[in-house]
Each structure stands twice: as C-alpha cells, then as structure tokens.
Amino acid sequence: EALAGGDAAGAIKLYTEAILLAPHPKMYAGRGQCFLKLQKPLAAIRDADKALEMNPDYSKGFKIRGQAHAMLGRWTQAIKDLGTGQNIDFDEETETFKKSIKAKADRVLKKEARKRALKEAEEREKREAELKRRREEQVRRRQKEVEEENAREQEEMRNAAGG
C-alpha cells in the first residue's frame, strides 16, 4: 500500500521488516524497485544481487539491476541484465526501456572495441619492435664473432708466416 500510494521510503521500511522476518527474492526485488524510485541505484543493485543470489532465475532481479545500471550510465551491463530478465519473463515495458538505451550501449561497445583494437595494435607494434631489436642484436653478435674469427685467423697466419 505504501508503494502504491507513492511512499517509496515507507515501502522500503516495510520491505526491510519483511526481509528481517522471512528473506525472500520478491521482498528484495520489491525493495530494490523502491530504491529505483528514490534514485538510489546502488542500493537497488545490492537488493537485486541478493534476490538473484537466492533465485538465479528471477527475472525481476535482472530487470531491476538492469534499470539501476542504466541509471548509473553502465549501458552495456544494463542491456545484458535486461536481456537476461526478458529471456526469462518477457514484458513490453522492459523491452521498450531496453530499446531506449540500446543505442547508448552500442556506442559504448564500439568505443571499447576501438580501444581494444588500438591496444592490440600497440602491443603488436611493441612485439614487432622487440623481435626486430633481437634480430639486429643477433646479427651484431654474429658479425662480431666473424670479425673475431677473422682476426684470429689473420693472427695465426702472421704467426705462421713469421715464425
């Protein structure tokens, strides 16, 4: 009744009392929903996690956590959780919300892919530079060995001719 009347804070107190008496995923999800209404996404995530810990297939837990991640701008995690929740129990309202944030998640994924590609390119360049450095070092060592061998042979020839 408190939540229906718009009193999310009062509903949180009631859910908390119920959780203390008999913890249940629905109670955690309900309280998480109240936290969302109060713009407290971290608390909502905490309760959604607890609900999912108790029931890993609880769609509402995923949906609440997805909405909370969206509030925090964690678009890719939001899409993932909302999608999981939808796969378990589809509803139009969640699907509409999911579609509304998909473009943001796609931008984040593209940005992460670009960063990953740049990092891989830098690492590849470093590996190639290291290989080149090692090859050049190997060539220098071999040249030095050849020069030393030639110098020994010349010294031996001088000693043989002079001796």
Side-chain angles (χ1 to χ4, degrees), residues 126-137:
K126 285 179 184 178
R127 283 192 308 270
E128 290 170 0
E130 179 63 17
L131 284 173
K132 182 180 178 185
R133 185 194 66 74
R134 287 180 183 179
R135 280 190 220 108
E136 289 171 352
E137 179 64 28

Side-chain angles (χ1 to χ4, degrees), residues 109 111-123:
L109 290 172
K111 185 177 179 180
E112 288 173 354
R114 281 193 303 271
K115 282 183 181 179
R116 213 172 22 258
L118 284 172
K119 185 177 179 182
E120 288 171 1
E122 288 173 3
E123 288 173 356

Side-chain angles (χ1 to χ4, degrees), residues 1-8 10-11 14-15:
E1 290 178 19
L3 184 57
D7 182 13
L14 294 174
Y15 276 118

